[in-house]
mmCIF file of all heavy atoms in Angstrom:
data_model
loop_
_atom_site.group_PDB
_atom_site.id
_atom_site.type_symbol
_atom_site.label_atom_id
_atom_site.label_comp_id
_atom_site.label_asym_id
_atom_site.label_seq_id
_atom_site.Cartn_x
_atom_site.Cartn_y
_atom_site.Cartn_z
ATOM 1 N N GLY A 1 113.059 188.033 -20.978
ATOM 2 C CA GLY A 1 112.273 187.873 -22.189
ATOM 3 C C GLY A 1 112.514 188.888 -23.271
ATOM 4 O O GLY A 1 111.748 188.973 -24.230
ATOM 5 N N GLU A 2 113.593 189.680 -23.185
ATOM 6 C CA GLU A 2 113.856 190.657 -24.223
ATOM 7 C C GLU A 2 115.278 190.520 -24.748
ATOM 8 O O GLU A 2 116.152 189.965 -24.085
ATOM 9 C CB GLU A 2 113.618 192.080 -23.724
ATOM 10 C CG GLU A 2 114.674 192.606 -22.777
ATOM 11 C CD GLU A 2 114.461 194.075 -22.411
ATOM 12 O OE1 GLU A 2 113.484 194.668 -22.905
ATOM 13 O OE2 GLU A 2 115.259 194.611 -21.631
ATOM 14 N N THR A 3 115.479 191.033 -25.937
ATOM 15 C CA THR A 3 116.804 191.081 -26.564
ATOM 16 C C THR A 3 117.241 192.529 -26.644
ATOM 17 O O THR A 3 116.483 193.383 -27.111
ATOM 18 C CB THR A 3 116.768 190.479 -27.985
ATOM 19 O OG1 THR A 3 116.312 189.123 -27.911
ATOM 20 C CG2 THR A 3 118.154 190.515 -28.621
ATOM 21 N N VAL A 4 118.448 192.818 -26.163
ATOM 22 C CA VAL A 4 118.968 194.178 -26.159
ATOM 23 C C VAL A 4 120.194 194.244 -27.048
ATOM 24 O O VAL A 4 121.124 193.441 -26.907
ATOM 25 C CB VAL A 4 119.332 194.638 -24.723
ATOM 26 C CG1 VAL A 4 120.010 196.002 -24.767
ATOM 27 C CG2 VAL A 4 118.087 194.704 -23.858
ATOM 28 N N GLY A 5 120.197 195.177 -27.989
ATOM 29 C CA GLY A 5 121.361 195.386 -28.839
ATOM 30 C C GLY A 5 122.242 196.483 -28.274
ATOM 31 O O GLY A 5 121.760 197.421 -27.634
ATOM 32 N N ILE A 6 123.552 196.360 -28.489
ATOM 33 C CA ILE A 6 124.520 197.363 -28.040
ATOM 34 C C ILE A 6 125.235 197.899 -29.259
ATOM 35 O O ILE A 6 125.850 197.141 -30.006
ATOM 36 C CB ILE A 6 125.541 196.766 -27.050
ATOM 37 C CG1 ILE A 6 124.831 196.195 -25.818
ATOM 38 C CG2 ILE A 6 126.567 197.814 -26.634
ATOM 39 C CD1 ILE A 6 125.758 195.479 -24.865
ATOM 40 N N TYR A 7 125.145 199.202 -29.465
ATOM 41 C CA TYR A 7 125.807 199.820 -30.607
ATOM 42 C C TYR A 7 126.631 200.999 -30.118
ATOM 43 O O TYR A 7 126.115 201.898 -29.461
ATOM 44 C CB TYR A 7 124.796 200.310 -31.637
ATOM 45 C CG TYR A 7 125.426 201.124 -32.753
ATOM 46 C CD1 TYR A 7 126.291 200.517 -33.661
ATOM 47 C CD2 TYR A 7 125.169 202.482 -32.871
ATOM 48 C CE1 TYR A 7 126.881 201.253 -34.677
ATOM 49 C CE2 TYR A 7 125.760 203.229 -33.886
ATOM 50 C CZ TYR A 7 126.619 202.599 -34.783
ATOM 51 O OH TYR A 7 127.206 203.333 -35.781
ATOM 52 N N VAL A 8 127.930 200.974 -30.425
ATOM 53 C CA VAL A 8 128.824 202.083 -30.081
ATOM 54 C C VAL A 8 129.597 202.446 -31.339
ATOM 55 O O VAL A 8 130.457 201.688 -31.776
ATOM 56 C CB VAL A 8 129.805 201.703 -28.946
ATOM 57 C CG1 VAL A 8 130.678 202.900 -28.606
ATOM 58 C CG2 VAL A 8 129.050 201.225 -27.716
ATOM 59 N N PRO A 9 129.280 203.576 -31.993
ATOM 60 C CA PRO A 9 129.978 203.933 -33.233
ATOM 61 C C PRO A 9 131.427 204.309 -32.980
ATOM 62 O O PRO A 9 131.767 204.884 -31.953
ATOM 63 C CB PRO A 9 129.181 205.142 -33.752
ATOM 64 C CG PRO A 9 128.568 205.727 -32.519
ATOM 65 C CD PRO A 9 128.274 204.567 -31.603
ATOM 66 N N GLY A 10 132.275 203.934 -33.941
ATOM 67 C CA GLY A 10 133.665 204.403 -33.934
ATOM 68 C C GLY A 10 134.553 203.766 -32.896
ATOM 69 O O GLY A 10 135.543 204.346 -32.493
ATOM 70 N N GLY A 11 134.240 202.583 -32.426
ATOM 71 C CA GLY A 11 135.129 201.967 -31.453
ATOM 72 C C GLY A 11 134.674 200.580 -31.091
ATOM 73 O O GLY A 11 133.681 200.075 -31.606
ATOM 74 N N ASP A 12 135.378 199.944 -30.180
ATOM 75 C CA ASP A 12 135.038 198.590 -29.772
ATOM 76 C C ASP A 12 134.733 198.546 -28.287
ATOM 77 O O ASP A 12 135.066 197.596 -27.595
ATOM 78 C CB ASP A 12 136.187 197.641 -30.115
ATOM 79 C CG ASP A 12 135.712 196.190 -30.187
ATOM 80 O OD1 ASP A 12 134.512 195.981 -30.438
ATOM 81 O OD2 ASP A 12 136.533 195.293 -29.984
ATOM 82 N N ILE A 13 134.101 199.621 -27.775
ATOM 83 C CA ILE A 13 133.774 199.684 -26.357
ATOM 84 C C ILE A 13 132.800 198.580 -25.985
ATOM 85 O O ILE A 13 132.855 198.028 -24.887
ATOM 86 C CB ILE A 13 133.179 201.070 -26.013
ATOM 87 C CG1 ILE A 13 134.189 202.162 -26.355
ATOM 88 C CG2 ILE A 13 132.779 201.153 -24.557
ATOM 89 C CD1 ILE A 13 133.638 203.565 -26.217
ATOM 90 N N LYS A 14 131.917 198.245 -26.921
ATOM 91 C CA LYS A 14 130.888 197.253 -26.628
ATOM 92 C C LYS A 14 131.496 195.901 -26.265
ATOM 93 O O LYS A 14 131.005 195.219 -25.368
ATOM 94 C CB LYS A 14 129.929 197.111 -27.807
ATOM 95 C CG LYS A 14 130.576 196.811 -29.140
ATOM 96 C CD LYS A 14 129.572 196.908 -30.263
ATOM 97 C CE LYS A 14 130.216 196.664 -31.619
ATOM 98 N NZ LYS A 14 131.216 197.687 -31.959
ATOM 99 N N THR A 15 132.581 195.523 -26.962
ATOM 100 C CA THR A 15 133.225 194.249 -26.652
ATOM 101 C C THR A 15 133.825 194.285 -25.251
ATOM 102 O O THR A 15 133.700 193.322 -24.479
ATOM 103 C CB THR A 15 134.314 193.935 -27.688
ATOM 104 O OG1 THR A 15 133.727 193.879 -28.978
ATOM 105 C CG2 THR A 15 134.995 192.609 -27.376
ATOM 106 N N GLY A 16 134.484 195.389 -24.902
ATOM 107 C CA GLY A 16 135.037 195.519 -23.556
ATOM 108 C C GLY A 16 133.961 195.482 -22.498
ATOM 109 O O GLY A 16 134.155 194.920 -21.407
ATOM 110 N N LEU A 17 132.799 196.074 -22.796
ATOM 111 C CA LEU A 17 131.684 196.053 -21.843
ATOM 112 C C LEU A 17 131.225 194.629 -21.570
ATOM 113 O O LEU A 17 131.069 194.222 -20.411
ATOM 114 C CB LEU A 17 130.525 196.889 -22.402
ATOM 115 C CG LEU A 17 129.227 196.867 -21.596
ATOM 116 C CD1 LEU A 17 129.443 197.469 -20.215
ATOM 117 C CD2 LEU A 17 128.131 197.617 -22.343
ATOM 118 N N ILE A 18 131.029 193.863 -22.626
ATOM 119 C CA ILE A 18 130.576 192.476 -22.466
ATOM 120 C C ILE A 18 131.610 191.655 -21.715
ATOM 121 O O ILE A 18 131.289 190.863 -20.825
ATOM 122 C CB ILE A 18 130.280 191.844 -23.840
ATOM 123 C CG1 ILE A 18 129.145 192.585 -24.543
ATOM 124 C CG2 ILE A 18 129.935 190.374 -23.686
ATOM 125 C CD1 ILE A 18 127.842 192.586 -23.793
ATOM 126 N N ARG A 19 132.883 191.844 -22.048
ATOM 127 C CA ARG A 19 133.939 191.070 -21.389
ATOM 128 C C ARG A 19 134.035 191.426 -19.906
ATOM 129 O O ARG A 19 134.293 190.555 -19.069
ATOM 130 C CB ARG A 19 135.289 191.328 -22.089
ATOM 131 C CG ARG A 19 135.396 190.697 -23.465
ATOM 132 C CD ARG A 19 136.734 191.033 -24.125
ATOM 133 N NE ARG A 19 137.851 190.523 -23.355
ATOM 134 C CZ ARG A 19 138.348 189.296 -23.479
ATOM 135 N NH1 ARG A 19 137.810 188.446 -24.332
ATOM 136 N NH2 ARG A 19 139.381 188.908 -22.751
ATOM 137 N N SER A 20 133.805 192.694 -19.566
ATOM 138 C CA SER A 20 133.880 193.081 -18.158
ATOM 139 C C SER A 20 132.692 192.546 -17.375
ATOM 140 O O SER A 20 132.825 192.137 -16.219
ATOM 141 C CB SER A 20 133.958 194.605 -18.028
ATOM 142 O OG SER A 20 132.766 195.211 -18.475
ATOM 143 N N ILE A 21 131.511 192.516 -17.996
ATOM 144 C CA ILE A 21 130.340 191.939 -17.331
ATOM 145 C C ILE A 21 130.558 190.461 -17.073
ATOM 146 O O ILE A 21 130.244 189.933 -15.998
ATOM 147 C CB ILE A 21 129.071 192.164 -18.176
ATOM 148 C CG1 ILE A 21 128.709 193.650 -18.213
ATOM 149 C CG2 ILE A 21 127.904 191.355 -17.622
ATOM 150 C CD1 ILE A 21 127.580 193.973 -19.168
ATOM 151 N N PHE A 22 131.123 189.787 -18.059
ATOM 152 C CA PHE A 22 131.348 188.345 -17.931
ATOM 153 C C PHE A 22 132.465 188.032 -16.943
ATOM 154 O O PHE A 22 132.535 186.942 -16.389
ATOM 155 C CB PHE A 22 131.675 187.757 -19.310
ATOM 156 C CG PHE A 22 131.712 186.252 -19.335
ATOM 157 C CD1 PHE A 22 130.569 185.513 -19.071
ATOM 158 C CD2 PHE A 22 132.884 185.574 -19.621
ATOM 159 C CE1 PHE A 22 130.593 184.126 -19.084
ATOM 160 C CE2 PHE A 22 132.923 184.186 -19.647
ATOM 161 C CZ PHE A 22 131.767 183.467 -19.378
ATOM 162 N N GLY A 23 133.363 189.002 -16.738
ATOM 163 C CA GLY A 23 134.468 188.792 -15.816
ATOM 164 C C GLY A 23 135.788 188.523 -16.467
ATOM 165 O O GLY A 23 136.794 188.297 -15.786
ATOM 166 N N ASN A 24 135.827 188.552 -17.801
ATOM 167 C CA ASN A 24 137.094 188.315 -18.497
ATOM 168 C C ASN A 24 138.080 189.454 -18.281
ATOM 169 O O ASN A 24 139.283 189.236 -18.173
ATOM 170 C CB ASN A 24 136.840 188.149 -20.001
ATOM 171 C CG ASN A 24 136.464 186.725 -20.362
ATOM 172 O OD1 ASN A 24 136.116 185.950 -19.499
ATOM 173 N ND2 ASN A 24 136.522 186.394 -21.632
ATOM 174 N N ASP A 25 137.563 190.694 -18.270
ATOM 175 C CA ASP A 25 138.413 191.869 -18.116
ATOM 176 C C ASP A 25 138.073 192.577 -16.805
ATOM 177 O O ASP A 25 136.898 192.640 -16.421
ATOM 178 C CB ASP A 25 138.208 192.845 -19.270
ATOM 179 C CG ASP A 25 138.705 192.282 -20.594
ATOM 180 O OD1 ASP A 25 139.501 191.323 -20.565
ATOM 181 O OD2 ASP A 25 138.298 192.792 -21.645
ATOM 182 N N PRO A 26 139.079 193.124 -16.111
ATOM 183 C CA PRO A 26 138.807 193.849 -14.866
ATOM 184 C C PRO A 26 138.121 195.184 -15.140
ATOM 185 O O PRO A 26 138.292 195.778 -16.200
ATOM 186 C CB PRO A 26 140.203 194.050 -14.273
ATOM 187 C CG PRO A 26 141.105 194.066 -15.468
ATOM 188 C CD PRO A 26 140.505 193.090 -16.442
ATOM 189 N N ARG A 27 137.336 195.638 -14.185
ATOM 190 C CA ARG A 27 136.695 196.942 -14.279
ATOM 191 C C ARG A 27 137.437 197.909 -13.374
ATOM 192 O O ARG A 27 137.762 197.591 -12.234
ATOM 193 C CB ARG A 27 135.231 196.866 -13.843
ATOM 194 C CG ARG A 27 134.401 195.900 -14.647
ATOM 195 C CD ARG A 27 132.909 196.060 -14.332
ATOM 196 N NE ARG A 27 132.576 195.967 -12.930
ATOM 197 C CZ ARG A 27 132.406 194.838 -12.255
ATOM 198 N NH1 ARG A 27 132.581 193.696 -12.897
ATOM 199 N NH2 ARG A 27 132.081 194.830 -10.986
ATOM 200 N N ASN A 28 137.673 199.121 -13.872
ATOM 201 C CA ASN A 28 138.323 200.139 -13.047
ATOM 202 C C ASN A 28 137.365 200.739 -12.038
ATOM 203 O O ASN A 28 137.750 201.131 -10.936
ATOM 204 C CB ASN A 28 138.893 201.247 -13.939
ATOM 205 C CG ASN A 28 140.007 200.740 -14.837
ATOM 206 O OD1 ASN A 28 140.755 199.853 -14.437
ATOM 207 N ND2 ASN A 28 140.105 201.278 -16.036
ATOM 208 N N SER A 29 136.104 200.847 -12.412
ATOM 209 C CA SER A 29 135.094 201.401 -11.508
ATOM 210 C C SER A 29 133.720 200.988 -12.005
ATOM 211 O O SER A 29 133.570 200.489 -13.119
ATOM 212 C CB SER A 29 135.193 202.933 -11.465
ATOM 213 O OG SER A 29 134.931 203.482 -12.735
ATOM 214 N N GLY A 30 132.729 201.206 -11.172
ATOM 215 C CA GLY A 30 131.356 200.905 -11.550
ATOM 216 C C GLY A 30 130.937 199.511 -11.140
ATOM 217 O O GLY A 30 131.745 198.574 -11.126
ATOM 218 N N ASP A 31 129.675 199.391 -10.783
ATOM 219 C CA ASP A 31 129.115 198.104 -10.370
ATOM 220 C C ASP A 31 127.911 197.785 -11.239
ATOM 221 O O ASP A 31 127.286 198.656 -11.820
ATOM 222 C CB ASP A 31 128.678 198.160 -8.899
ATOM 223 C CG ASP A 31 129.853 198.403 -7.950
ATOM 224 O OD1 ASP A 31 130.841 197.659 -8.064
ATOM 225 O OD2 ASP A 31 129.770 199.330 -7.134
ATOM 226 N N TYR A 32 127.586 196.528 -11.318
ATOM 227 C CA TYR A 32 126.359 196.125 -11.975
ATOM 228 C C TYR A 32 125.663 195.110 -11.086
ATOM 229 O O TYR A 32 126.266 194.537 -10.163
ATOM 230 C CB TYR A 32 126.629 195.553 -13.369
ATOM 231 C CG TYR A 32 127.376 194.238 -13.393
ATOM 232 C CD1 TYR A 32 126.685 193.037 -13.483
ATOM 233 C CD2 TYR A 32 128.763 194.185 -13.350
ATOM 234 C CE1 TYR A 32 127.353 191.826 -13.523
ATOM 235 C CE2 TYR A 32 129.451 192.989 -13.402
ATOM 236 C CZ TYR A 32 128.736 191.809 -13.483
ATOM 237 O OH TYR A 32 129.392 190.616 -13.516
ATOM 238 N N SER A 33 124.390 194.904 -11.331
ATOM 239 C CA SER A 33 123.628 193.998 -10.478
ATOM 240 C C SER A 33 122.859 193.004 -11.325
ATOM 241 O O SER A 33 122.478 193.284 -12.464
ATOM 242 C CB SER A 33 122.661 194.792 -9.595
ATOM 243 O OG SER A 33 121.744 195.524 -10.376
ATOM 244 N N ILE A 34 122.652 191.821 -10.754
ATOM 245 C CA ILE A 34 121.848 190.769 -11.371
ATOM 246 C C ILE A 34 120.727 190.422 -10.409
ATOM 247 O O ILE A 34 120.979 190.095 -9.235
ATOM 248 C CB ILE A 34 122.704 189.529 -11.702
ATOM 249 C CG1 ILE A 34 123.756 189.890 -12.768
ATOM 250 C CG2 ILE A 34 121.821 188.388 -12.193
ATOM 251 C CD1 ILE A 34 124.645 188.737 -13.164
ATOM 252 N N PHE A 35 119.495 190.557 -10.904
ATOM 253 C CA PHE A 35 118.308 190.361 -10.062
ATOM 254 C C PHE A 35 118.383 191.203 -8.789
ATOM 255 O O PHE A 35 117.964 190.778 -7.706
ATOM 256 C CB PHE A 35 118.122 188.882 -9.709
ATOM 257 C CG PHE A 35 117.767 188.019 -10.890
ATOM 258 C CD1 PHE A 35 118.693 187.138 -11.421
ATOM 259 C CD2 PHE A 35 116.507 188.103 -11.478
ATOM 260 C CE1 PHE A 35 118.367 186.338 -12.518
ATOM 261 C CE2 PHE A 35 116.183 187.316 -12.572
ATOM 262 C CZ PHE A 35 117.106 186.440 -13.094
ATOM 263 N N GLY A 36 118.953 192.409 -8.924
ATOM 264 C CA GLY A 36 119.004 193.328 -7.801
ATOM 265 C C GLY A 36 120.183 193.157 -6.879
ATOM 266 O O GLY A 36 120.384 193.969 -5.958
ATOM 267 N N PHE A 37 120.995 192.144 -7.099
ATOM 268 C CA PHE A 37 122.141 191.881 -6.232
ATOM 269 C C PHE A 37 123.411 192.459 -6.881
ATOM 270 O O PHE A 37 123.724 192.136 -8.024
ATOM 271 C CB PHE A 37 122.338 190.390 -5.972
ATOM 272 C CG PHE A 37 121.217 189.772 -5.172
ATOM 273 C CD1 PHE A 37 120.179 189.117 -5.826
ATOM 274 C CD2 PHE A 37 121.208 189.863 -3.789
ATOM 275 C CE1 PHE A 37 119.142 188.549 -5.096
ATOM 276 C CE2 PHE A 37 120.190 189.295 -3.064
ATOM 277 C CZ PHE A 37 119.133 188.638 -3.707
ATOM 278 N N LYS A 38 124.133 193.325 -6.141
ATOM 279 C CA LYS A 38 125.343 193.914 -6.678
ATOM 280 C C LYS A 38 126.421 192.844 -6.825
ATOM 281 O O LYS A 38 126.664 192.047 -5.905
ATOM 282 C CB LYS A 38 125.854 195.013 -5.729
ATOM 283 C CG LYS A 38 127.025 195.802 -6.281
ATOM 284 C CD LYS A 38 127.435 196.922 -5.338
ATOM 285 C CE LYS A 38 126.371 197.986 -5.284
ATOM 286 N NZ LYS A 38 126.807 199.156 -4.476
ATOM 287 N N MET A 39 127.077 192.823 -7.997
ATOM 288 C CA MET A 39 128.069 191.798 -8.300
ATOM 289 C C MET A 39 129.465 192.337 -8.047
ATOM 290 O O MET A 39 129.789 193.467 -8.408
ATOM 291 C CB MET A 39 127.947 191.365 -9.769
ATOM 292 C CG MET A 39 126.564 190.850 -10.149
ATOM 293 S SD MET A 39 126.047 189.424 -9.136
ATOM 294 C CE MET A 39 127.227 188.206 -9.696
ATOM 295 N N ARG A 40 130.276 191.535 -7.419
ATOM 296 C CA ARG A 40 131.653 191.921 -7.154
ATOM 297 C C ARG A 40 132.505 191.629 -8.388
ATOM 298 O O ARG A 40 132.151 190.840 -9.251
ATOM 299 C CB ARG A 40 132.208 191.133 -5.966
ATOM 300 C CG ARG A 40 132.262 189.626 -6.206
ATOM 301 C CD ARG A 40 132.805 188.898 -4.965
ATOM 302 N NE ARG A 40 132.793 187.454 -5.132
ATOM 303 C CZ ARG A 40 133.720 186.761 -5.767
ATOM 304 N NH1 ARG A 40 134.755 187.411 -6.310
ATOM 305 N NH2 ARG A 40 133.651 185.461 -5.867
ATOM 306 N N VAL A 41 133.658 192.294 -8.437
ATOM 307 C CA VAL A 41 134.615 192.045 -9.505
ATOM 308 C C VAL A 41 135.232 190.682 -9.335
ATOM 309 O O VAL A 41 135.639 190.309 -8.236
ATOM 310 C CB VAL A 41 135.724 193.127 -9.504
ATOM 311 C CG1 VAL A 41 136.756 192.811 -10.577
ATOM 312 C CG2 VAL A 41 135.112 194.514 -9.727
ATOM 313 N N GLY A 42 135.306 189.912 -10.398
ATOM 314 C CA GLY A 42 135.903 188.577 -10.275
ATOM 315 C C GLY A 42 135.927 187.881 -11.620
ATOM 316 O O GLY A 42 135.426 188.393 -12.618
ATOM 317 N N PRO A 43 136.526 186.685 -11.663
ATOM 318 C CA PRO A 43 136.627 185.935 -12.912
ATOM 319 C C PRO A 43 135.275 185.344 -13.303
ATOM 320 O O PRO A 43 134.335 185.352 -12.511
ATOM 321 C CB PRO A 43 137.642 184.831 -12.576
ATOM 322 C CG PRO A 43 137.455 184.633 -11.100
ATOM 323 C CD PRO A 43 137.164 185.983 -10.534
ATOM 324 N N PRO A 44 135.178 184.796 -14.552
ATOM 325 C CA PRO A 44 133.902 184.235 -14.998
ATOM 326 C C PRO A 44 133.348 183.174 -14.072
ATOM 327 O O PRO A 44 132.136 183.081 -13.900
ATOM 328 C CB PRO A 44 134.266 183.633 -16.381
ATOM 329 C CG PRO A 44 135.412 184.435 -16.850
ATOM 330 C CD PRO A 44 136.189 184.792 -15.617
#
């Protein structure tokens, strides 16, 4: 129920972040979770 804005001055890190969450780009490290479940690296 909320909207979150992402602002990164002086670069395009935000686009890479979104693409890595979606699975378009590989992640070198780090995990994220959806509804508490850790998500593996993979395609969209």
